[in-house]
């Protein structure tokens, strides 16, 4: 016997005011009714009333509000995930309508971790942009956790980031691989030494990425700093690679950078690679896409080209900075 929908479930999508879902999504994103009212340009009682109507419609408490607290319930979190997916699908409609045009048009939105440097990525984008000059692009830089969240919420075409663990709901493929090494800036006392040893580095201050945590995407980079016996606890931290680079050059501390990215600064005399105990840290950068997303024509073609590049190019050729 097939699954039968209850009468309530059949009526629900026809009776629900879909504007309430948008309001609820903004309430959760802003962390409160007052902030949501400001974003939406409405009065606070109007937002509170909308939340109450939505809770009555779905039959669950979605948000618990007290004078000093704001908490999204389990049902609220589940509904929020669906709201963001709906919002992502609706935002695709203009591009989907363009799919019938004779010439490929549309928009591709990429969300990527800071400072993705890959000639293979550049080559795919370059040939695609040349072949389809009417397709437009937007690129948003975010930390890896946010990249995963945005792709899960169907709010971008695809993402490029590091992963601590494989997301169950997304398609994740190794886009390229990079090696990290430790560097000091020219203001550091070790920069001018003829030979730098591990003993010379013991106790030196360090800077790090936010994801250099145990079990995180850059855990092997964290171990790299530990093996060098740098001072415990980084003096500076950032999720942005150019800012980590800036802190190293400013001598806030020794830090790790992708070897192929730091190469230019080494040539210019701004950075010096310092020794590490053991091999360099190897980090995989992933291409993420959401199987639940109905791709536009432009997204589908570009994603297919990335997948073809990955399948046709050995990982050894997509490995940088060895």
């Amino acid at each position: 016997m097939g699954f039968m929908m209850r009468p309530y479930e059949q009526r629900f999508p026809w009776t629900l005011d879909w504007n309430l879902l948008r309001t609820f999504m903004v309430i959760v994103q802003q962390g409160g009714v007052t902030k949501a009212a400001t974003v939406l340009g409405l009065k606070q009682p109007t937002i509170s009333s909308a939340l109450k109507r939505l809770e009555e419609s779905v039959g669950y408490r979605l948000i618990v509000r007290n004078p000093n607290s704001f908490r999204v319930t389990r049902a609220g979190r589940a509904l929020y995930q669906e709201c963001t997916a709906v919002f992502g699908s609706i935002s695709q409609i203009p591009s989907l309508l363009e799919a019938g045009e004779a010439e490929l048009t549309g928009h591709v939105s990429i969300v990527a971790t800071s400072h993705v440097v890959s000639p293979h990525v550049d080559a795919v984008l370059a040939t695609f942009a040349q072949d389809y000059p009417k397709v437009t692009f937007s690129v948003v830089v975010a930390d890896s956790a946010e990249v995963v969240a945005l792709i899960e919420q169907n709010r971008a075409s695809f993402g490029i980031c590091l992963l601590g663990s494989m997301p169950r709901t997304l398609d994740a493929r190794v886009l390229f691989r990079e090696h990290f090494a430790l560097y000091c800036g020219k203001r550091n006392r070790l920069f001018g030494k003829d030979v730098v040893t591990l003993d010379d580095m013991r106790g030196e201050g360090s800077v790090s990425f936010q994801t250099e945590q145990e079990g995180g995407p850059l855990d092997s980079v964290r171990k790299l700093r530990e093996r060098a016996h740098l001072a415990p606890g980084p003096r500076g931290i950032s999720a942005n690679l150019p800012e980590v680079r800036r802190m190293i050059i400013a001598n806030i501390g020794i830090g790790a950078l992708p070897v192929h990215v730091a190469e230019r600064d080494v040539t210019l005399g701004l950075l010096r690679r310092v020794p590490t105990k053991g091999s360099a840290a190897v980090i995989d950068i992933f291409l993420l896409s959401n199987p639940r997303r109905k791709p536009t024509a432009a997204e589908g073609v570009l994603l297919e080209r990335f997948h073809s590049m990955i399948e046709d190019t050995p990982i050894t050729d997509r490995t940088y900075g060895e």
Side-chain angles (χ1 to χ4, degrees):
M1 178 181 293
F3 174 76
M4 297 293 293
M5 293 183 67
R6 293 171 291 183
Y8 167 77
E9 294 171 330
Q10 292 175 327
R11 294 193 307 269
F12 179 73
W14 297 98
T15 59
L16 177 68
D17 181 351
W18 287 45
N19 286 323
L20 300 179
L21 297 179
R22 184 190 67 160
T23 301
F24 172 70
M25 185 179 72
V26 175
I27 292 172
V28 175
Q29 289 173 341
Q30 297 299 316
V33 169
T34 301
K35 291 181 179 178
T38 300
V39 169
L40 294 172
L42 300 171
K43 294 183 178 180
Q44 183 174 334
T46 302
I47 301 298
S48 297
S49 175
L51 175 59
K52 182 178 179 181
R53 287 170 54 204
L54 181 60
E55 290 180 328
E56 290 172 349
S57 296
V58 300
Y60 290 94
R61 186 79 178 273
L62 302 175
I63 293 175
V64 177
R65 291 187 293 153
N66 295 310
N68 298 316
S69 65
F70 175 90
R71 179 174 65 84
V72 182
T73 66
R74 183 176 180 179
R77 291 194 299 271
L79 181 60
Y80 174 74
Q81 291 297 324
E82 294 305 314
C83 286
T84 55
V86 169
F87 180 83
S89 296
I90 291 174
S91 67
Q92 288 182 266
I93 289 176
S95 296
L96 289 171
L97 296 178
E98 293 172 344
E101 297 292 328
E103 185 175 358
L104 188 67
T105 60
H107 185 79
V108 175
S109 57
I110 302 171
V111 57
T113 190
S114 167
H115 220 62
V116 173
V117 178
S118 165
H120 292 89
V121 172
D122 294 345
V124 171
L125 289 174
T127 55
F128 179 85
Q130 181 177 359
D131 292 344
Y132 305 107
K134 290 190 176 181
V135 175
T136 58
F137 300 83
S138 62
V139 180
V140 174
V141 176
D143 63 46
S144 292
E146 188 176 358
V147 172
V148 173
L150 289 172
I151 300 303
E152 285 179 334
Q153 294 167 10
N154 197 21
R155 295 174 64 184
S157 304
F158 51 85
I160 301 174
C161 68
L162 304 91
L163 291 175
S165 59
M166 300 300 288
R168 293 178 298 174
T169 60
L170 301 180
D171 181 273
R173 309 187 188 196
V174 177
L175 188 56
F176 63 91
R177 182 170 289 162
E178 57 188 12
H179 288 74
F180 276 70
L182 294 177
Y183 294 87
C184 70
K186 64 180 180 181
R187 295 178 177 85
N188 189 279
R189 67 179 185 86
L190 302 178
F191 189 88
K193 286 179 65 71
D194 292 336
V195 178
V196 177
T197 66
L198 285 171
D199 285 339
D200 292 328
M201 296 171 59
R202 186 180 296 272
E204 283 287 309
S206 69
V207 299
S208 76
F209 292 91
Q210 287 182 354
T211 45
E212 287 184 41
Q213 302 168 358
E214 188 169 355
L218 288 180
D219 187 31
S220 60
V221 177
R222 176 188 64 82
K223 293 176 181 177
L224 198 67
R225 291 190 299 111
E226 285 187 350
R227 292 200 302 267
H229 299 294
L230 301 176
R235 186 181 177 191
I237 188 169
S238 176
N240 187 282
L241 189 149
E243 295 309 318
V244 172
R245 168 189 173 275
R246 186 197 307 276
M247 288 190 288
I248 297 172
I249 290 175
N251 197 29
I252 293 175
I254 291 174
L257 293 170
V259 173
H260 71 295
V261 174
E263 188 174 19
R264 181 172 181 270
D265 284 329
V266 171
T267 301
L268 292 174
L270 298 174
L271 294 175
R272 175 178 178 173
R273 183 170 175 173
V274 292
T276 56
K277 184 178 181 180
S279 58
V282 181
I283 301 296
D284 286 340
I285 306 297
F286 290 84
L287 175 71
L288 296 185
S289 58
N290 190 338
R292 294 179 61 189
R293 182 181 181 89
K294 180 176 175 56
T296 65
E299 290 173 338
V301 173
L302 181 55
L303 196 58
E304 183 180 347
R305 290 198 177 191
F306 270 117
H307 287 171
S308 295
M309 182 275 290
I310 291 171
E311 293 170 3
D312 297 341
T313 310
I315 187 60
T316 52
D317 292 343
R318 291 180 280 124
T319 300
Y320 311 136
E322 291 182 279

